[in-house]
């Protein structure tokens, strides 16, 4: 059965990182109604245990599904996807698209054979990442580093706060200072927050380093799954926050630049 034309695509993240996925989605499906949900009461996911993340994400997505009947859910968060995607799919009827660290495209891109990966602490320790490495980068060197400071810096930047350069420097050093780190020519941004800092990361790593993230691939996957469906936007797209987002006018302007006209508490 086709969903109703105004059923939203629900994009879910712990914070504003999923907006980087929304930006790519807008390019492909500009007419699609979107509901953006930030579980900022639970941010940062990267510092939580696997059990905490799995319970939280499954519970929230279950409630959101009942309440808003989305046509599709996108977990626009590497941490939540690498931990909870399969269990969420098991319990929800609605199609669920996840976010996979872009190791495969990075392996195709690297010339030196050394890839850096920046993610949250929870993501970089996942067996899911080990599997991607074994499948797509077995003949490469993959250096991983957890960069929680970048999550905070991205959240702050969208609220109009200057980028914390020490967080950028720590992320660069965390990869470069590992054995072989000098040879990194490709960096996987394995957290949806990090492309919001791409200009700074690129400056700090140097012009020879290229960056890959999963956003465009996820958007293509969503568009493919919905290719036979029609879209009507009956009300402005909005964001829901599970906690006090304390962003004021700067955050509202940033949300508006992604087509989000309204925000509320959930
Ligand atoms: N945006 C999330 C990700 O892609 C993580 C941020 C957090 O630690 O909550 O992993």
């Amino acid at each position: 059965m086709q969903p109703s034309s105004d059923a939203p695509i629900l994009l879910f993240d712990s914070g504003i990182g999923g907006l980087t996925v929304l930006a790519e989605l807008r390019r492909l499906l500009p007419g699609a109604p979107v509901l953006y949900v930030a579980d900022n009461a639970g941010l940062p996911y990267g510092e939580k245990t696997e059990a905490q993340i799995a319970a939280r994400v499954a519970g929230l997505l279950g409630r959101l599904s009942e309440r808003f009947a989305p046509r599709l859910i996108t977990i626009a968060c590497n941490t939540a996807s690498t931990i909870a995607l399969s269990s969420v799919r098991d319990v929800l009827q609605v199609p669920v698209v996840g976010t996979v660290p872009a190791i495969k495209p990075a392996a195709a891109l690297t010339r030196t054979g050394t890839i850096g990966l920046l993610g949250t602490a929870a993501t970089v320790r996942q067996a899911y990442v080990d599997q991607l490495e074994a499948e797509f980068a077995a003949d490469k060197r993959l250096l991983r580093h957890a960069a929680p400071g970048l999550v905070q810096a991205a959240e702050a930047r969208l609220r109009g706060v200057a980028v914390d350069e020490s967080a950028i420097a720590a992320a660069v050093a965390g990869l470069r200072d590992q054995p072989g780190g000098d040879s990194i020519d490709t960096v996987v941004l394995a957290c949806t927050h990090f492309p919001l800092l791409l200009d700074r990361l690129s400056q700090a790593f140097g012009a020879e380093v290229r960056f890959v993230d999963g956003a465009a691939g996820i958007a293509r996957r969503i568009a493919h799954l919905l290719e036979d469906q029609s879209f009507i936007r009956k009300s402005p797209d909005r964001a829901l926050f599970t906690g006090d987002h304390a962003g004021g006018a700067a955050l509202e302007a940033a949300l508006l630049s992604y087509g989000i006209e309204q925000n509320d508490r959930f």
Side-chain angles (χ1 to χ4, degrees), residues 8-9 12 18 34 105-106 130 133 146 156 169 188 206 228 243:
I9 298 170
F12 177 83
V34 165
D130 301 340
E133 180 179 359
V188 179
D228 297 328

Side-chain angles (χ1 to χ4, degrees), residues 13-18 42-47 76-80 99 119-120 123 148 151 155 190-194:
D13 182 34
S14 55
I16 45 72
L43 182 95
Y45 279 6
E47 304 301 302
C77 172
N78 288 263
T79 311
T99 311
T120 65
T123 295
V151 175
E155 287 283 333
C191 169
T192 52
H193 280 75
F194 297 173

Side-chain angles (χ1 to χ4, degrees), residues 24-238:
E24 294 295 335
L25 185 63
R26 294 281 192 212
R27 275 191 242 277
L28 299 185
L29 298 178
V34 165
L35 176 64
Y36 186 87
V37 181
D39 179 20
N40 63 320
L43 182 95
Y45 279 6
E47 304 301 302
K48 292 189 158 42
T49 65
E50 280 71 0
Q52 286 172 323
I53 294 165
R56 193 165 182 106
V57 172
L60 255 172
L61 288 179
R63 284 197 288 136
L64 287 160
S65 267
E66 272 175 29
R67 176 95 166 264
F68 299 102
R71 68 181 76 209
L72 178 143
I73 292 174
T74 301
I75 304 182
C77 172
N78 288 263
T79 311
S81 296
T82 53
I83 292 167
L85 181 60
S86 62
S87 55
V88 168
R89 280 187 175 144
D90 285 347
V91 295
L92 295 184
Q93 299 290 327
V94 60
V96 184
V97 174
T99 311
V100 173
I103 292 172
K104 186 181 176 185
L109 211 58
T110 179
R111 293 288 161 262
T112 61
T114 304
I115 301 166
L117 183 144
L118 294 172
T120 65
T123 295
V124 300
R125 67 172 180 253
Q126 290 313 306
Y128 194 94
V129 178
D130 301 340
Q131 283 161 22
L132 290 172
E133 180 179 359
E135 194 171 348
F136 300 114
D139 58 341
K140 315 282 187 242
R141 177 160 47 187
L142 182 75
L143 305 177
R144 308 179 193 184
H145 178 67
L150 296 183
V151 175
Q152 278 172 20
E155 287 283 333
R157 189 176 210 188
L158 247 69
R159 290 166 172 80
V161 177
V163 173
D164 174 2
E165 298 298 341
S166 67
I168 304 284
V172 175
L175 287 177
R176 287 286 194 211
D177 292 351
Q178 294 183 41
D182 286 351
S183 320
I184 291 170
D185 68 347
T186 307
V187 173
V188 179
L189 300 179
C191 169
T192 52
H193 280 75
F194 297 173
L196 294 166
L197 301 165
L198 183 60
D199 55 335
R200 293 303 216 281
L201 288 166
S202 176
Q203 218 169 35
F205 272 100
E208 73 286 359
V209 170
R210 288 186 286 181
F211 296 85
V212 286
D213 66 70
I218 302 161
R220 282 196 300 275
R221 177 80 189 134
I222 299 168
H224 172 70
L225 289 172
L226 303 182
E227 65 191 352
D228 297 328
Q229 299 186 11
S230 60
F231 301 107
I232 294 177
R233 188 179 281 115
K234 285 192 178 153
S235 51
D237 285 344
R238 64 176 177 149

